[in-house]
Amino acid sequence: MKPPGTLTLLAPLAGWSAPLDEAPDEVFAARLLGDGVAIDPTEGTLHAPCDAVVVLLPASRHAVTLRTAAGCEILLHVGIDTVALGGEGFEAHVSAGARVRAGEPLLSFDLDFLAQRARSVLTPVIVTSDSGWAIRGRTVDRAIALGERLMEVALQRARPDDASLGNAASAAAAVRRLTVSFEHGIHARPAALLAAALRSLAADVRLMARGREANARSTVALMALGVRHGEEIEIRASGPDAHNALNALTAIFNAHESAPRPAQPPPASAAVHPPAGLDLGTAQPGESPAARTVMTYGVLRGVAASPGLAIGPALQLHRPEIRVRETGAGAPAEHAALDSARAEVRARLERTALAAASDAMGTAREIAAAHLELLDDPELIAAARTAIDAGRSAGAAWRAAVRDSADTLRALDDARLRERVDDLLDLEAQVLLVLAGESVEPAAALPEQAIVIARELLPSQLIALDGARLAGIAMAAGGATSHAAILAAAMGIPALVALGPQVLAIPDGAEVILDAAVGALEVAPLEPRLTAARARLAASVAERAALASAAQRECRTADGVRIEVLANVGSVAEAQAAVRNGAEGCGLLRTEFLFLDRLTPPSESEQTAQYQQIADALGERPLTIRTLDAGGDKPIAYLPMPREDNPALGLRGIRTGLAWPQLLRTQLRAVLGVRGPARCRLLLPMITDLEEIEAVRRVLEEVRGELGRSESIAVGVMIETPASALLAERIAAVADFLSIGTNDLTQYTLAMDRGNPQLAARLDALHPAVLRLIARAAEGARTHGRHAAVCGGLASEPIAAPLLVGLGVNELSAVPAVIPQLKARIGSVSLRDCRALAEEALKLPTAAAVRALAADATPAAAQVPA
Ligand code: PEP
Ligand code: MG
């Protein structure tokens, strides 16, 4: 029996089940109506996916909305833009109000007729977002049979209680009458746009039509009104944002007066602005109704994915819809088509890799290289060839092969490998676009200082944009650690993600301010705000330039004490960025980057080649290579790790190296193979006692003997556990240097998981207990004349730098971008001031108190984030 509050939805059609992203309509793809899947049908009868009541069946018979006894609402929408067919080609088997059982036929449609007349036959099956149910599992990217399990859904939150919203009719604060301008009345897309426009507003809004009333936040209720083009409706709104709600809805209706989709630039005269925090565009006095759009101005909130400030005109970048023919025109022709499409994509990727040879585009080069590798993946090509031989077209075969590989990667319990899924899907699109004869280059030339807006940008789309004209990136979806986000950061382009679907309603050409520091995108700001933002931008550009040129100098405190500032690096591109930013070497090379994204460990020669490239990028500067720090939050797919109840306390760090000595031995051989002027040193992660260091040293000596290497290599120890901090003096006696990993040291000292979002605000390395352990480690290092470095996240916080120096730290290893600020901050304080600050901090009771002290001691100008 299923637990209460959960439900299985069965496939209502046989066909190909695809992610909703593939629906060629932003309203579905951006989930304005709710989440779900899209089925490319191979038969013409739609069946009930579960027991339910039919709540809606419009006269056009192209869609059915069902509601289960537990309140889950499901919209089944046959094809895209099929409302325009006015019922032609559809036959209903049920009517509104009917009770249906799972599997019962709901309606039939003429699939061939739809294929010719509709924009697409792809049929979204949506769990509406306003019914409070969420999808827990789904079957996608494969053929599905009628009645097979399609989705598992679960009740997430109670449906909003209409009574709690108050009696709109009696409490109405604002009323407006309108004529419905949507060409086909209020069907699924307009309903979704109207409901979405209200999402961030505090108002109870009702639409009155045909003597009935609908909650305007409910897409189903809006559709149920059955309002047609030209009919009159009344909007009633109450609550603090009542007027804004009326204006927002009016703007949507008006935007559809002359054209079915909103995309007009805002009038230059838009003058009255909402108070800060008000999120939606509103109609302006004196503004031409047709020119108003969904999001003419206001502020949207998102998540910063790449730091910085940008000001410029918006440009919407939509991924073109890719149509794929299922059946091939004979195997020889399809093989040839696939080969030539791959050749074209390969040539373009090689051009990208070449053009990205400059330092700043190192990440673009690495992504292009990863795509090139996948493009020639023998398994992928073999799978595509087999599908072509079985009669499929080149496009269908390529798509199926890529999706199968993506499924395999998704199924592996390895976050890094799952990230490769994005690369695969990006590559799928590149090849399919060429097969479809479409351009892979961006359609529109970018205006100067463009802020590009997309639902989710693919890395290949980003690489193809003209970096000289691109000022910022705003995405409706996406994550801060996606490849596109990493690429944006590497290119120095400010980026916001997760802004929500409203960002897609900003018209091209609208002036926007993208401020990653506060996660805000401001549309059509007033002139005083624009002027202030421009001044801030100019000041930060000038300050960055001044800091960057000063950063090339050796770092010393104001009274001349030498403090080395190095960089944490995870790739060649980052090593290049480090040097540009004034890093005096690499204090931590996280070698995991070489081990995680794959199914077999890297060979000795592969490792040496990678380390060599990084060493070469650093010139004569030191390169600190940390041995593999696997396990915990960095699981490795090909190591037979036992299941651990508490992986953070399990087989990780050096424990992994000692448990798989061959892995450690190969890595040590690879490090010893690096040649040239860079000074390599080794760093051992997660050490807890001396025996571990001695065990590694024994392997190192054996390897040196095997390779006939007479010169020694410095071996440093990471202080990441309270045990190693407390034993630092003993450890420093046998290690060549210590490097304090404040990320793990804080996690283990405070007993707070570093990956737990609920504890994130309290997981502060400035906690006095952590500071005491840092002081203890630095003292231990000093006793034996060793360097005490900090390479954890605390080293990248300029406000913490004087404190760390005061605690006895003489080397910092930080993210490359922050190095100019760190050096400037250290250069502005004397050692005496630093020691006094540290002494005071050690006496404080909480991390918050220490942070306040550190902030007080920092001049305002030095607190500006990079
Ligand atoms: C640390 O723990 O502070 C550290 C630098 O190691 P990582 O973040 O890679 O675990
Ligand atoms: Mg660590």
Side-chain angles (χ1 to χ4, degrees):
M1 220 180 88
K2 295 201 77 60
T6 62
L7 179 69
T8 300
L9 300 183
L10 308 176
L13 289 161
W16 183 267
S17 176
L20 202 48
D21 311 62
E22 287 183 15
D25 184 322
E26 278 300 329
V27 165
F28 289 112
R31 279 117 176 119
L32 289 191
L33 284 153
D35 199 2
V37 304
I39 298 180
D40 197 355
T42 50
E43 57 154 341
T45 302
L46 184 76
H47 299 78
C50 57
D51 295 352
V53 171
V54 178
V55 282
L56 266 180
L57 183 70
S60 47
R61 302 184 293 274
H62 70 292
V64 184
T65 306
L66 304 175
R67 187 180 297 141
T68 68
C72 177
E73 277 168 3
I74 306 122
L75 166 68
L76 305 126
H77 195 282
V78 180
I80 303 294
D81 278 354
T82 38
V83 62
L85 298 175
E88 202 182 341
F90 289 97
E91 185 192 346
H93 302 307
V94 291
S95 48
R99 278 184 192 286
V100 291
R101 304 302 303 259
E104 212 173 293
L106 300 172
L107 58 87
S108 297
F109 51 93
D110 182 338
L111 189 53
D112 291 337
F113 172 77
L114 255 59
Q116 285 163 16
R117 298 284 299 276
R119 209 163 126 218
S120 164
V121 293
L122 212 59
T123 296
V125 180
I126 307 283
V127 176
T128 68
S129 47
D130 38 275
S131 72
W133 288 68
I135 298 172
R136 292 277 173 263
R138 68 191 91 198
T139 305
V140 282
D141 291 333
R142 72 165 174 82
I144 195 156
L146 173 68
E148 216 184 311
R149 173 198 165 279
L150 182 65
M151 287 186 263
E152 296 293 337
V153 294
L155 184 59
Q156 206 178 30
R157 60 180 161 78
R159 193 185 169 81
D161 176 5
D162 282 356
S164 72
L165 295 170
N167 182 334
S170 61
V175 177
R176 192 167 296 169
R177 279 176 186 284
L178 284 170
T179 302
V180 170
S181 46
F182 300 107
E183 204 180 344
H184 302 291
I186 303 183
H187 59 100
R189 179 186 303 114
L193 290 173
L194 294 169
L198 298 174
R199 230 166 253 165
S200 56
L201 297 180
D204 175 38
V205 187
R206 308 274 154 168
L207 246 71
M208 324 293 289
R210 302 175 153 210
R212 286 186 289 143
E213 172 184 316
N215 179 348
R217 291 178 190 278
S218 162
T219 48
V220 174
L222 288 175
M223 290 191 282
L225 286 176
V227 179
R228 303 207 176 152
H229 177 80
E231 281 187 49
E232 185 151 289
I233 57 156
E234 187 175 288
I235 312 173
R236 298 180 182 177
S238 62
D241 286 334
H243 284 279
N244 294 319
L246 279 189
N247 287 337
L249 297 192
T250 308
I252 292 174
F253 281 109
N254 286 338
H256 288 76
E257 259 177 14
S258 52
R261 282 159 195 267
Q264 305 297 314
S269 62
V272 183
H273 283 248
L278 182 63
D279 283 354
L280 266 177
T282 56
Q284 298 303 303
E287 188 183 308
S288 132
R292 289 179 227 147
T293 62
V294 180
M295 180 76 199
T296 49
Y297 72 96
V299 181
L300 291 176
R301 302 278 165 196
V303 175
S306 170
L309 176 70
I311 306 164
L315 180 80
Q316 298 279 349
L317 194 71
H318 295 300
R319 230 186 279 178
E321 181 198 344
I322 313 172
R323 290 182 188 277
V324 174
R325 216 177 357 100
E326 188 53 42
T327 320
E334 299 297 338
H335 283 304
L338 181 61
D339 289 344
S340 103
R342 283 179 46 241
E344 191 173 331
V345 172
R346 184 181 302 107
R348 202 176 47 76
L349 287 170
E350 282 167 356
R351 280 198 303 279
T352 303
L354 212 63
S358 70
D359 292 358
M361 290 297 286
T363 307
R365 188 175 61 238
E366 279 162 20
I367 290 174
H371 287 185
L372 276 167
E373 199 185 297
L374 288 172
L375 189 68
D376 290 330
D377 185 287
E379 298 273 315
L380 207 57
I381 296 167
R385 296 224 184 282
T386 308
I388 288 177
D389 289 337
R392 299 182 85 172
S393 72
W398 178 250
R399 176 172 271 178
V402 169
R403 300 281 166 98
D404 275 354
S405 297
D407 279 350
T408 311
L409 293 187
R410 273 195 202 103
L412 296 171
D413 194 16
D414 181 331
R416 291 292 196 105
L417 275 178
R418 282 199 301 269
E419 278 176 14
R420 296 305 294 270
V421 171
D422 295 342
D423 286 324
L424 272 170
L425 298 180
D426 190 341
L427 194 63
E428 172 195 311
Q430 294 178 56
V431 172
L432 292 185
L433 278 171
V434 174
L435 280 169
E438 308 229 15
S439 167
V440 273
E441 310 296 340
L446 294 188
E448 286 291 343
Q449 297 297 310
I451 310 272
V452 164
I453 301 175
R455 198 165 64 75
E456 197 169 356
L457 215 54
L458 295 175
S460 62
Q461 284 181 298
L462 179 46
I463 291 170
L465 293 174
D466 178 356
R469 288 168 172 265
L470 180 62
I473 296 164
M475 297 191 222
T481 55
S482 68
H483 261 157
I486 293 169
L487 188 55
M491 293 164 75
I493 309 282
L496 290 176
V497 294
L499 284 155
Q502 284 170 13
V503 75
L504 302 174
I506 299 174
D508 283 350
E511 192 78 351
V512 296
I513 300 176
L514 185 158
D515 189 348
V518 292
L521 186 75
E522 199 170 340
V523 184
L526 277 176
E527 199 47 49
R529 288 192 61 78
L530 259 181
T531 311
R534 285 196 188 111
R536 265 196 305 140
L537 188 59
S540 85
V541 169
E543 189 190 88
R544 268 211 306 274
L547 288 179
S549 75
Q552 296 304 330
R553 291 199 286 270
E554 222 178 55
C555 180
R556 292 186 182 275
T557 59
D559 50 350
V561 179
R562 179 83 170 98
I563 304 292
E564 289 179 34
V565 180
L566 288 78
N568 292 351
V569 162
S571 67
V572 182
E574 280 177 14
Q576 292 163 336
V579 171
R580 269 200 320 280
N581 281 290
E584 299 174 52
C586 164
L588 169 63
L589 173 65
R590 289 182 162 104
T591 57
E592 295 82 75
F593 80 101
L594 255 172
F595 289 79
L596 295 179
D597 291 355
R598 50 198 302 151
L599 296 170
T600 53
S603 66
E604 180 185 328
S605 59
E606 192 183 341
Q607 289 188 53
T608 303
Q610 287 283 335
Y611 304 150
Q612 186 71 59
Q613 279 189 41
I614 291 172
D616 292 345
L618 292 171
E620 294 184 352
R621 300 168 185 84
L623 167 58
T624 313
I625 302 179
R626 181 171 74 181
T627 61
L628 178 62
D629 183 19
D633 60 340
K634 306 168 201 164
I636 288 203
Y638 47 84
L639 286 188
M641 296 250 194
R643 211 197 73 79
E644 294 176 323
D645 283 339
N646 202 340
L649 304 182
L651 208 52
R652 58 162 302 193
I654 199 62
R655 300 170 197 172
T656 319
L658 295 174
W660 283 276
Q662 196 48 45
L663 212 59
L664 178 66
R665 179 178 286 275
T666 306
Q667 188 169 31
L668 295 180
R669 287 176 65 97
V671 174
L672 291 178
V674 177
R675 298 273 172 266
R679 283 169 293 134
C680 276
R681 45 194 202 186
L682 272 171
L683 184 56
L684 311 180
M686 286 289 298
I687 292 289
T688 45
D689 62 34
L690 276 78
E691 168 48 32
E692 288 166 332
I693 307 167
E694 280 153 15
V696 177
R697 278 205 184 276
R698 281 196 293 275
V699 182
L700 183 62
E701 283 318 304
E702 282 170 27
V703 168
R704 276 179 61 205
E706 285 164 19
L707 295 174
R709 293 287 301 263
S710 52
E711 67 275 37
S712 63
I713 183 167
V715 177
V717 164
M718 287 203 71
I719 303 297
E720 297 180 282
T721 60
S724 60
L726 294 170
L727 289 180
E729 191 271 320
R730 302 284 306 279
I731 289 175
V734 299
D736 296 305
F737 63 96
L738 303 186
S739 188
I740 304 166
T742 50
N743 305 335
D744 278 316
L745 185 59
T746 308
Q747 138 163 288
Y748 294 126
T749 305
L750 304 185
M752 290 184 187
D753 182 345
R754 64 193 266 190
N756 185 332
Q758 276 168 310
L759 299 174
R762 293 175 56 205
L763 191 82
D764 192 339
L766 286 179
H767 192 287
V770 181
L771 297 186
R772 281 169 194 241
L773 290 172
I774 295 174
R776 176 93 176 229
E779 190 189 323
R782 197 168 46 249
T783 310
H784 295 279
R786 311 291 192 212
H787 250 218
V790 173
C791 65
L794 193 59
S796 297
E797 289 200 55
I799 68 161
L803 235 168
L804 292 175
V805 171
L807 290 171
V809 168
N810 37 28
E811 179 185 314
L812 298 177
S813 190
V815 295
V818 85
I819 287 173
Q821 277 174 276
L822 273 182
K823 285 186 158 183
R825 182 70 191 118
I826 293 167
S828 70
V829 285
S830 70
L831 183 61
R832 226 179 66 186
D833 292 344
C834 292
R835 285 192 175 142
L837 189 69
E839 216 169 287
E840 214 178 318
L842 287 174
K843 289 187 210 137
L844 292 173
T846 62
V850 177
R851 200 159 271 285
L853 174 76
D856 270 357
T858 310
Q863 293 191 27
V864 179

